[in-house]
Amino acid sequence: MTTAVVVALLVATGTWLVLRRGLLRVVVGFVLLGHGVNLLVLTAGGTDRRGFALPGQQGQGPVADPLPQAFVLTAVVIAFAVTVHLLGLLRQGQALDEDDDAEGPA
Amino acid sequence: MVAALVLLAALAAGAPLLARRLGRATGYVLSAGFLAAAGLLVALAPRVLGGGAVEASTPWLPSLGVEAALRLDGLSLVFALVALVVGALVMAYCARYLSDASARGPVLPLLTVFAAAMVGLVLADDLVLLYLFWELTTLCSFALLSSAGAKAVAPARRALVITIAGGLALLVAVVLLALAGGTTRISVLLAEPEVVLGSPLAWPVAACVLLAAMSKSAQLPLQFWLPGAMVAMTPVSAYLHAATMVKAGIYLLVRASTLFAEQTPWQVALVAVGMATALVGAVMALREHDLKGILAHSTVSQLGLLVAAIGVGTPTALGAALLHTMAHALFKATLFMLVGIIDKETGSRDIRDLSGLRRAMPWTAAATALAALSMAGVPPALGFVSKEYLYQGFVSAPGPAWVAPAAAACAVTASALTFAYSMRIVWGAFGGPDHPELYEPARSFLAPAAVAAVAGLLLGPAVFLFDPLVDAATSAALPGSVPPRIYFWHGLSTEVVLSGVTVALGSALFWQRDRVDAVLVRLRLPDAGGVFDAGHSGLLALGGRIGAGTRARPLGAHLARPLAVVAVLGVVGAVALGGALPERTATAVPGEPVLLVVLAVALACAAVTSSAVVLVALVGLVGLVVAVRMVLVGAADVALTLLLVEVLTAVVLVLVLRGGGLHLPPVVRPAGRGALPAVLPAALLAVGAGTAAGLGTWSLTGRRELSPTGAYLLDNAEELTGGTNVVNTVLVDFRGLDTLLESVLVGVVALGLGVLTRGPGREVRERPDVVLRVASRVLAPLAVLASVVLLWRGHDQPGGGFIGALVAGAGVVLVHLAGTGGGEGAGGTGRAVRLERLTDPVLLAGAGALVAVGTGLVPLVWGGALMEPFSVPGLYALGISSALLFDLGVYALVVSLVAACVRGFGRVPSAVPAAAPAAAPGAEHAEVVR
């Protein structure tokens, strides 16, 4: 239940920021959307199995599904790459309209 | 047969090289090559003329049962010889028509490719192969048309769109035929017509074949592209748009006759379309004054007659169509070549300007007259004989009693019109006043056309030579039929009477040409080309309107659409689901509500803050909470990765913010009035998307057992891969290809970032902090060491390439922030330079991609599967496996991204490029110490 609320909050805030003025907000909004979707995929593995898929696991309950974890792991790194790329574009925009005080497109 | 195709392909490949050396004389070499290819086919003729066929095939797409199959029978031989012999004439003509410069252009190679495609098309015994060659001829035609320059843009596009549309119809026919007949082998399909005819797909197939042929052979109402195609240079018009390419549709129809010749709807459609085209084309030709225009409309008209004859479908009509195909190719190509000569010599193609050529250019005039007489169907030319047989075919047409006379009447009318415009050409050549300033072209220029014109005359009386060929071709199209015997003269029959009527009518039309012109000028025919253009531009405008929404300037408008779709999908999904869900099995863990509250507060603040610094801090906090949640659901590796990513993201954000933009525009515009309505859509959308995502999460997760894949991985991962960290084995072993591509993507972003941040700029370093510097000296090597350990143990314990690389990246960042990496003040130490080189993003990304891809490819050496795990002899004792090597590549790729961030964002771009002292990439290392 809490996971659902967390995902809802992340997606809602992410959507809000993406639609606001200011490119930095858009970038942060994408980061939050990424968090939300990553949590959703992880949760798809089931939240009643929370053990680490490792030798001598110390987690709680039975071992968690490793497949969504692998998906999300690469997704996290790719989300980082996307964020960095967006920031590169943002900085390029700063360089282009420094006089506009980085207003960004409305 | 294969040798002929290979020869043509070799000629096409060699033509540019030959042209560079020989200039326009290449045309003669290609001409000889075409004749040699024709010779290779003629050498097989004895077997083919006996009713047999020569076959060759090799497996091509075995999974689809498609073979690259060739088959030479009588019908293929007719069309292949037409393509090659006319091609040889045109090539010899090109040798004088083209200049040396234009001979080095694309025209000669394209013409040769076209010849190969045309021969391949008629030899293909597989539907897929046939389709491929069909489209190749279309593309060659487009390329040749386009080479005529700006004026050809619109006609070339028309021709392409129409013929490609026909090609698509053919593709549909190919698929349906394969479904109906169970094979793509043409000879097999045609051997048992009842299989296809008995299928419900038979009529769709017939319709698609007809459509394809109508587009290619310029039948009403698609005929308009052909006259437009006359903007191409004359050899192209002569070869493609008169003699050969437009005959591809005729070939297709004759082939399909084996299936459909006796089906009434097929006959009705072909005869109706063909006759209408013949009449309209002939009228249009009579209206024209441009010589090429006359010939183009005449081609349309003659093709219509051929289609109608094929529609009649009797052996006589089909044989007549084949004979006329050859006759038409000969006289029409001749006329085009002569028009090209006249155009070049006189500078005009208007038939009214050409009077009196007989004195200035007697030989040209004579050749033109001969070819035109053949077109008019005047004895003893070849065109006369073939027209006689066409009449014979129409007169003996099957069906109700009125059909044969009606068909014959139409054919006679079209032919009378043909006679009239042919006479205009003859008159243009021979009548009227003198033009003393003109002179005869070089003999070598005239020779190909003259040879063809004389051949057209002599082959009339010698038409019996064609008898075995037409016989074999007709039998190939209609197995078991009795083809007509071909003679020059067969007594005073109906056909001869009809010919007489034709000549009489045609002469009358010519005699009264002024009155005819007056009527024709007033005649208004529907402009199919205009309709096409209107439809074409309408379609483009429609696309523009549909796409208009995506060209909105505000960023939000772009992003809102997909998000709105997500929200709508959530609602639709919830309604569709209707509450029928399995029991939830999810468990709760103490502490989760606390995290939830922290997250909610942080997000709420992030949503309203106008300070970039606060936003960055909050996004870090949110990342932390999310990482903890990931630990709570048992995802240790993911949480570790996320934590490191959050640290690096924060660093990069701070580096970016140094460039300015600390104050974000206010969330809500300060103006009180109208502020709420402005944010309302975004707020609604945010709540909607959030609700949809939350509902989706709640209703679709936590309601089932462990997935079968997950269970399989947990049970077998260690045994299959030797690794005990199951998540890592999924990454490097089970889904290795996925990971490979993803890490290459990361490397690509690293390179892209390098390009994005190149530009002018200055290196900014904070004043080195002593504590930070000392710490970095200790911590950075430790970080690298730790990263190596994490990488090494990743297969068994939390760690791996991604995590290790991010730790190493943290070390790189630390060195950068402390200012101990790039050297201080002047030059810098050797160590620093080494570090600089080692963390070059391009080097790291390249090396990483090489290692990762290389490790994946190694098993192929001994015939293993791509990315199959293997053990490295000697290194195994150290715990180094192929998985580790692969992970090393991933490691390098991810480090390259971090290094690119530090390099790129470590510099502040300057707004005015001119202000930067050195914009060269080498200036990147220059620094400004504040």
Side-chain angles (χ1 to χ4, degrees):
Chain A
M1 183 67 198
T2 49
T3 317
V5 179
V6 168
V7 171
L9 286 176
L10 285 168
V11 171
T13 317
T15 306
W16 167 256
L17 287 176
V18 158
L19 295 176
R20 289 295 82 202
R21 283 155 57 86
L23 281 175
L24 187 68
R25 282 209 185 92
V26 177
V27 176
V28 170
F30 271 112
V31 171
L32 296 183
L33 284 175
H35 285 330
V37 173
N38 281 341
L39 271 182
L40 171 58
V41 174
L42 268 189
T43 316
T47 42
D48 55 335
R49 297 172 294 272
R50 297 173 179 240
F52 299 136
L54 295 167
Q57 49 121 341
Q58 308 94 0
Q60 302 156 30
V63 177
D65 194 336
L67 191 63
Q69 296 191 11
F71 288 155
V72 171
L73 201 152
T74 46
V76 165
V77 178
I78 289 184
F80 176 58
V82 171
T83 309
V84 173
H85 189 73
L86 286 174
L87 286 172
L89 293 173
L90 180 148
R91 211 194 60 148
Q92 206 63 6
Q94 284 177 350
L96 288 178
D97 46 27
E98 213 159 49
D99 302 338
D100 300 352
D101 199 23
E103 281 269 309
Chain B
M1 175 168 56
V2 178
L5 265 184
V6 170
L7 172 64
L8 289 172
L11 285 175
L17 301 175
L18 282 172
R20 198 172 302 161
R21 189 163 286 259
L22 300 177
R24 61 183 189 173
T26 311
Y28 289 126
V29 178
L30 293 174
S31 178
F34 281 21
L35 287 179
L40 284 170
L41 293 181
V42 169
L44 299 169
R47 282 158 72 187
V48 173
L49 295 182
V54 185
E55 301 193 347
S57 76
T58 172
W60 180 23
L61 305 170
S63 56
L64 295 175
V66 174
E67 291 197 343
L70 300 176
R71 187 169 190 275
L72 180 71
D73 61 6
L75 187 54
S76 308
L77 188 61
V78 168
F79 283 88
L81 286 183
V82 166
L84 289 171
V85 172
V86 175
L89 287 171
V90 171
M91 281 302 184
Y93 177 74
C94 275
R96 283 293 166 268
Y97 182 88
L98 297 177
S99 65
D100 277 336
S102 56
R104 292 191 187 97
V107 172
L108 286 178
L110 279 172
L111 281 174
T112 319
V113 171
F114 168 78
M118 195 64 208
V119 172
L121 169 68
V122 298
L123 290 181
D125 192 30
D126 193 286
L127 289 171
V128 178
L129 199 62
L130 174 92
Y131 171 71
L132 217 65
F133 282 123
W134 180 279
E135 291 293 50
L136 189 55
T137 60
T138 299
L139 294 178
C140 281
S141 157
F142 176 69
L144 282 166
L145 268 177
S146 302
S147 67
K151 66 180 188 299
V153 170
R157 191 176 53 212
R158 275 188 186 181
L160 182 72
V161 171
I162 294 293
T163 47
I164 283 275
L168 288 178
L170 181 64
L171 182 62
V172 173
V174 164
V175 173
L176 293 181
L177 263 176
L179 285 177
T183 173
T184 56
R185 209 42 194 268
I186 296 172
S187 49
V188 176
L189 282 169
L190 296 183
E192 290 171 349
E194 58 277 8
V195 174
V196 174
L197 287 175
S199 135
L201 298 174
W203 291 114
V205 166
C208 288
V209 166
L210 181 57
L211 201 60
M214 280 167 65
S215 77
K216 197 81 159 181
S217 293
Q219 295 299 294
L220 221 61
L222 306 176
Q223 90 290 7
F224 56 87
W225 70 264
L226 186 57
M230 291 303 131
V231 296
M233 63 170 66
T234 300
V236 174
S237 304
Y239 193 28
L240 271 70
H241 304 125
T244 52
M245 189 185 88
V246 290
K247 299 285 167 59
I250 302 297
Y251 168 77
L252 189 68
L253 290 177
V254 179
R255 266 283 173 237
S257 290
T258 314
L259 291 176
F260 301 115
E262 289 174 4
Q263 308 296 316
T264 311
W266 170 266
Q267 294 172 323
V268 171
L270 258 66
V271 172
V273 166
M275 280 305 179
T277 310
L279 289 172
V280 170
V283 171
M284 296 296 285
L286 200 56
R287 230 157 72 127
E288 277 285 343
H289 295 290
D290 176 70
L291 270 172
K292 262 183 120 174
I294 295 178
L295 294 181
H297 287 293
S298 153
T299 304
V300 170
S301 161
Q302 300 286 316
L303 289 168
L305 275 185
L306 289 176
V307 169
I310 297 166
V312 169
T314 57
T316 313
L318 223 53
L322 291 168
L323 184 63
H324 194 63
T325 297
M326 293 185 267
H328 175 255
L330 195 61
F331 68 67
K332 195 52 70 65
T334 312
L335 280 170
F336 266 109
M337 291 192 275
L338 290 164
V339 167
I341 293 175
I342 294 170
D343 186 16
K344 276 215 160 186
E345 300 291 329
T346 67
S348 167
R349 293 197 314 228
D350 193 312
I351 195 164
R352 289 162 296 192
D353 296 348
L354 295 181
S355 48
L357 279 186
R358 72 176 186 282
R359 271 173 235 107
M361 302 161 71
W363 291 105
T364 310
T368 310
L370 275 183
L373 288 176
S374 185
M375 176 159 79
V378 172
L382 183 58
F384 161 73
V385 187
S386 61
K387 194 156 288 179
E388 291 279 281
Y389 276 93
L390 280 179
Y391 284 159
Q392 194 181 347
F394 290 126
V395 166
S396 62
W402 59 271
V403 169
C410 284
V412 168
T413 313
S415 301
L417 291 164
T418 306
F419 183 88
Y421 63 71
S422 302
M423 279 309 117
R424 289 189 176 197
I425 296 176
V426 176
W427 177 252
F430 281 92
D434 282 352
H435 274 273
E437 73 280 9
L438 297 176
Y439 51 90
E440 194 75 49
R443 276 182 209 160
S444 54
F445 195 11
L446 187 60
V451 166
V454 172
L457 179 70
L458 295 182
L459 283 174
V463 73
F464 59 87
L465 292 173
F466 287 108
D467 187 44
L469 190 57
V470 171
D471 191 304
T474 313
S475 314
L478 301 174
S481 64
V482 183
R485 297 260 76 83
I486 309 264
Y487 333 82
F488 174 60
W489 181 255
H490 35 95
L492 202 62
S493 55
T494 326
E495 302 91 78
V496 179
V497 175
L498 289 177
S499 276
V501 174
T502 305
V503 171
L505 266 178
S507 305
L509 280 170
F510 176 67
W511 197 254
Q512 297 294 327
R513 57 186 175 279
D514 291 338
R515 282 189 200 170
V516 170
D517 272 347
V519 172
L520 286 177
V521 165
R522 267 180 278 140
L523 188 66
R524 292 185 67 83
L525 289 168
D527 179 16
V531 173
F532 169 84
D533 282 346
H536 185 80
S537 47
L539 204 59
L540 292 183
L542 181 67
R545 271 201 296 286
I546 290 174
T550 61
R551 289 192 288 272
R553 168 100 174 88
L555 201 54
H558 288 280
L559 298 170
R561 276 162 233 260
L563 292 167
V565 171
V566 168
V568 170
L569 272 182
V571 172
V572 171
V575 171
L577 219 56
L581 290 169
E583 192 73 12
R584 261 181 86 81
T585 58
T587 53
V589 175
E592 279 185 345
V594 180
L595 285 177
L596 181 59
V597 171
V598 174
L599 186 78
V601 172
L603 288 175
C605 295
V608 295
T609 183
S610 294
S611 158
V613 178
V614 172
L615 191 59
V616 168
L618 286 172
V619 85
L621 179 62
V622 170
L624 197 68
V625 173
V626 172
V628 173
R629 278 208 66 87
M630 286 176 168
V631 176
L632 288 181
V633 295
D637 278 48
V638 184
L640 205 51
T641 314
L642 185 61
L643 272 180
L644 291 161
V645 162
E646 286 305 322
V647 170
L648 292 173
T649 307
V651 171
V652 173
L653 278 169
V654 169
L655 288 177
V656 171
L657 288 180
R658 285 190 313 180
L662 286 178
H663 294 286
L664 297 171
V667 176
V668 181
R669 273 172 217 262
R673 218 155 46 105
L676 192 63
V679 296
L680 206 57
L684 281 179
L685 197 52
V687 171
T691 312
L695 279 178
T697 312
W698 186 76
S699 50
L700 299 177
T701 66
R703 293 175 190 268
R704 61 177 172 90
E705 292 304 302
L706 185 62
S707 68
T709 320
Y712 172 85
L713 292 173
L714 287 175
D715 290 343
N716 299 304
E718 184 168 0
E719 191 188 328
L720 289 175
T721 67
T724 52
N725 180 354
V726 182
V727 176
N728 187 264
T729 62
V730 173
L731 287 177
V732 298
D733 296 305
F734 292 107
R735 301 189 55 86
L737 192 61
D738 229 13
T739 310
L740 173 66
L741 296 179
E742 281 160 349
S743 45
V744 168
L745 172 79
V746 169
V748 169
V749 172
L751 298 182
L753 207 56
V755 176
L756 255 184
T757 55
R758 196 151 55 185
R762 59 198 160 86
E763 190 97 350
V764 179
R765 289 192 191 281
E766 309 304 324
R767 188 200 314 264
D769 179 283
V770 177
V771 178
L772 195 58
R773 282 179 57 189
V774 175
S776 82
R777 295 250 156 135
V778 182
L779 288 179
L782 270 181
V784 174
L785 194 67
S787 81
V788 172
V789 172
L790 282 169
L791 171 69
W792 175 72
R793 69 170 210 172
H795 217 210
D796 298 319
Q797 297 283 329
F802 284 115
I803 293 173
L806 293 168
V807 171
V812 173
V813 168
L814 194 61
V815 170
H816 176 82
L817 289 182
T820 48
E824 291 133 56
T829 63
R831 190 181 76 99
V833 172
R834 268 205 309 284
L835 195 67
E836 193 81 29
R837 280 203 193 126
L838 263 180
T839 57
D840 180 13
V842 178
L843 179 80
L844 281 169
L850 271 182
V851 170
V853 175
T855 312
L857 290 178
V858 164
L860 296 181
V861 174
W862 57 83
L866 185 70
M867 311 209 62
E868 187 180 283
F870 58 95
S871 63
V872 187
L875 295 178
Y876 188 71
L878 298 172
I880 295 175
S881 60
S882 64
L884 184 68
L885 283 179
F886 176 69
D887 231 4
L888 183 67
V890 175
Y891 177 94
L893 282 163
V894 177
V895 172
S896 80
L897 179 61
V898 180
C901 286
V902 169
R903 292 234 175 150
F905 295 122
R907 301 162 64 242
V908 174
S910 45
V912 191
E924 273 174 33
H925 304 310
E927 58 173 351
V928 178
V929 180
R930 279 205 288 217

